[in-house]
Amino acid sequence: MRTFTSEYADVDFLEDDRLVLLSWKQEAHLINYRQPAEAALELIRKYDCDFVIDARNGFEDDKADVCWGFAYLLPQMSKTGCENVWFIMNDASADYLKNEMNMWEREFSKYFTVRRAESLERIKEQINMNIVYKDTHDFSAEELKRLFLSVEWSSGHFPEKLQTAMKNFSTVYSAWDGEKLIGMICAMDDGIMNAYVHYLLVDPQYHGITVGRTLVDMMKEHYKDYLRIAVIAYNNELHFYRNCGFKEADDASPMFITSLWT
């Protein structure tokens, strides 16, 4: 569904894939740049979906627009349900455009998972991968070791302990690509009021296709009648948990006694 068009850009909502697509036709500045960007932002707000920027035919390098994007557009997007941003580029893109994209990617990465792709078709392939979600507490030590070390968590060096931990958690949901364990979320609870999400991790090869968001949604649904769901979030993941509905406490901080180094 096309919602905006000009000689500079088109904005489409791809309902089946839950994507907003901003396709630049040529380099744009000021109102010609900001109008399509704001049209895309409104769709992202409305549908809480992810964002694709097709920059193969142009973008912008005006300092005022860059400042506007960094100071307004990206912070506003971070308040929506958007988790993933894709840039469509190709090897033939001009060097100046590649440099521009590198700059924008660094800034987007402060709020979102950012990936590049050669085409919209490739993005759709990634999104529509046949991921299966399971409710199980049984995992092999090797499956757990591979997954935890894929995100460089030191607990992956203790796979047998992880096996026991998985059996003792109140709730465990996992994501699988065929026979490969690619993500999981684990929680403990008191049976009626409070639940604590202890682990949420996704193999980096599968970032950007909503695996983490799906696992969180499953856990939120499971504990929907509880009065509190708590999570300790790494600082660089705060935007993800905010987009999932969590809020930082104003009067509390996490504290640990731990033998783990990550």
Side-chain angles (χ1 to χ4, degrees), residues 99-189:
N99 292 335
E100 191 77 10
M101 286 300 96
N102 289 338
M103 177 187 68
W104 278 97
E105 280 189 359
R106 287 192 298 270
E107 199 67 21
F108 269 101
S109 295
K110 296 178 181 179
Y111 305 95
F112 312 100
T113 298
V114 179
R115 309 181 82 169
R116 289 195 185 190
E118 304 82 21
S119 65
L120 179 61
E121 289 69 28
R122 178 57 182 149
I123 293 171
K124 290 182 177 182
E125 287 175 4
Q126 295 179 33
I127 292 172
N128 295 317
M129 293 176 68
N130 189 26
I131 305 301
V132 175
Y133 295 88
K134 299 181 182 180
D135 177 1
T136 181
H137 294 254
D138 295 319
F139 304 90
S140 72
E142 190 57 36
E143 287 169 340
L144 293 169
K145 178 180 179 180
R146 192 209 62 77
L147 176 59
F148 277 74
L149 292 183
S150 75
V151 295
E152 299 181 351
W153 284 6
S154 55
S155 46
H157 293 285
F158 308 96
E160 289 79 15
K161 291 182 181 292
L162 284 173
Q163 274 187 297
T164 301
M166 294 306 140
K167 293 183 183 299
N168 291 333
F169 275 114
S170 306
T171 309
V172 180
Y173 294 120
S174 52
W176 301 77
D177 180 6
E179 299 299 314
K180 182 180 180 181
L181 175 64
I182 64 162
M184 65 165 35
I185 190 169
C186 313
M188 299 175 286
D189 65 68

Side-chain angles (χ1 to χ4, degrees), residues 53-85:
I53 302 166
D54 187 342
R56 289 175 290 185
N57 296 316
F59 200 52
E60 59 77 41
D61 60 359
D62 183 86
K63 184 176 181 181
D65 291 332
V66 171
C67 292
W68 176 82
F70 288 4
Y72 172 76
L73 182 65
L74 270 62
Q76 289 298 312
M77 282 182 58
S78 73
K79 298 175 183 178
T80 72
C82 181
E83 297 177 18
N84 309 290
V85 175

